[in-house]
Amino acid sequence: MTQPLLPVDLLDLDKNGHLLHTDGCTTVPDTDIAQHLEHHLRLREDTTDIFVFVHGWRTKPADALNHARTLFGHVEALAAAQPQAYPRLREFRPQYVAVRWPSRDAKLLPTDYDPVKMRTQTMSEDGHVPRVLGAILGYLNTHRDTPEPGPETLATGYGQYLHCTGHSFGSRVLLHGILEASKRLADGGPDTLAWDFASSTYPWTLDSLTLFQPALPADAFTQEPFTKILDPNLLNAPVAMTYSPADTALGKLHAKKENQVAIGHLGASDPKDHITQITLQDVTGRYAFALDKRLINVDASKLYTAKSLFVGAHSDFYHPESAHLLLSLANSAR
């Protein structure tokens, strides 16, 4: 018997970052974004965790949804197989959202880095991506039961937790959305307290952020706008970033275009006082996340080893071990 497809809510963006209707062609006016999200992103009352995925470079539209299902399928399977590994994820009932954007042009070669980078930059810095992603995050927060602070140990909370993950250039898109959402928040108090990064300026928080093979310069967090991620903002969690030297797209190709390799090749290099280093664990391994470091380099060199033409292991992260990292971060957010 064929297994039913994992339910994943899909949101489409055009090349300028505008939200699209379900026909994939017509843009949603800014004034209708909230109504569109209300209609297409209905959170279940029993949901415990919301996962948002933004795919990466040169991803076909059909693959974007399939990749999200693959990654989140591993999350589902692991959570069911070893609940004892995530003791704070009690009665885990996740809901999944995939944000699809035009990261591929049939006329471009796999090595055409500049056009894809410029599209990402246009969508993020000059387009509507920050506004739309900010609206998505804001919508999810408005409609979720925000976690309440736990007991005096601040180790447990109750409510619906919000997690974001991006791949490759999708990491840039996602970071811009987080920064835009931060700008728009009113004053108030944070709702989750497990991490040490909560700021009293923000009334709600993003509870984990994972970037798989991010296409960001190694010193990106020393440069605008990404250095602002290190300042108080709605992200009440460290930025977990995987890397592998086998990712040739973010090695020689990225270095040729950016004068340095990307974070996804050798990890973030600066600012050093904000960085800690861990190794991607197998599915039975336990993580000990530093509570005083904002940036976590995750060495995935032993697992992300594919030798795909032009890009190497750039997309070789759809593994149970990657889902284990996501679940471990979600567990630590309680």
Side-chain angles (χ1 to χ4, degrees), residues 288-305:
F289 299 113
L291 297 179
D292 60 343
K293 299 294 184 181
R294 192 62 151 166
L295 305 175
I296 302 177
N297 283 330
V298 184
D299 182 356
S301 58
K302 291 184 178 180
L303 181 64
Y304 300 177
T305 59

Side-chain angles (χ1 to χ4, degrees), residues 39-247:
H39 184 71
H40 293 284
L41 287 184
R42 295 186 177 180
L43 292 183
R44 302 186 305 268
E45 289 186 4
D46 67 344
T47 293
T48 59
D49 293 78
I50 307 149
F51 290 86
V52 179
F53 176 65
V54 183
H55 67 81
W57 183 36
R58 293 192 56 78
T59 301
K60 296 178 182 178
D63 288 342
L65 183 56
N66 290 335
H67 290 170
R69 285 198 171 111
T70 298
L71 180 62
F72 293 143
H74 288 312
V75 169
E76 291 270 312
L78 265 187
Q82 52 180 38
Q84 73 283 354
Y86 321 107
R88 297 173 184 169
L89 302 187
R90 293 176 295 183
E91 299 181 356
F92 183 63
R93 291 181 296 273
Q95 195 162 342
Y96 305 111
V97 179
V99 178
R100 185 165 61 183
W101 59 285
S103 66
R104 179 186 178 91
D105 190 323
K107 297 179 181 179
L108 298 179
L109 296 173
T111 53
D112 284 337
Y113 178 94
D114 287 331
V116 179
K117 176 189 173 184
M118 289 306 300
R119 175 172 294 176
T120 308
Q121 191 164 320
T122 298
M123 290 175 62
S124 299
E125 296 181 4
D126 305 319
H128 282 233
V129 161
R131 178 180 298 176
V132 171
L133 279 181
I136 292 169
L137 296 178
Y139 166 81
L140 291 173
N141 179 71
T142 299
H143 288 71
R144 67 172 171 159
D145 180 15
T146 51
E148 298 176 358
E152 292 182 1
T153 59
L154 307 183
T156 306
Y158 303 92
Q160 295 174 307
Y161 288 78
L162 180 57
H163 314 286
C164 284
T165 182
H167 172 226
S168 184
F169 276 107
S171 301
R172 296 191 185 214
V173 174
L174 189 52
L175 289 172
H176 279 288
I178 292 169
L179 292 172
E180 177 67 15
S182 295
K183 289 180 184 178
R184 294 172 179 266
L185 284 175
D187 288 344
D191 294 297
T192 54
L193 302 173
W195 300 111
D196 285 350
F197 307 108
S199 169
S200 60
T201 304
Y202 301 98
W204 58 275
T205 58
L206 176 60
D207 302 305
S208 76
L209 175 62
T210 310
L211 307 180
F212 291 108
Q213 303 307 108
L216 292 159
D219 66 354
F221 292 100
T222 67
Q223 310 292 332
E224 293 289 341
F226 302 118
T227 187
K228 293 179 181 177
I229 288 290
L230 303 177
D231 298 332
N233 59 70
L234 66 84
L235 177 60
N236 180 33
V239 185
M241 304 168 290
T242 67
Y243 73 88
S244 172
D247 186 338

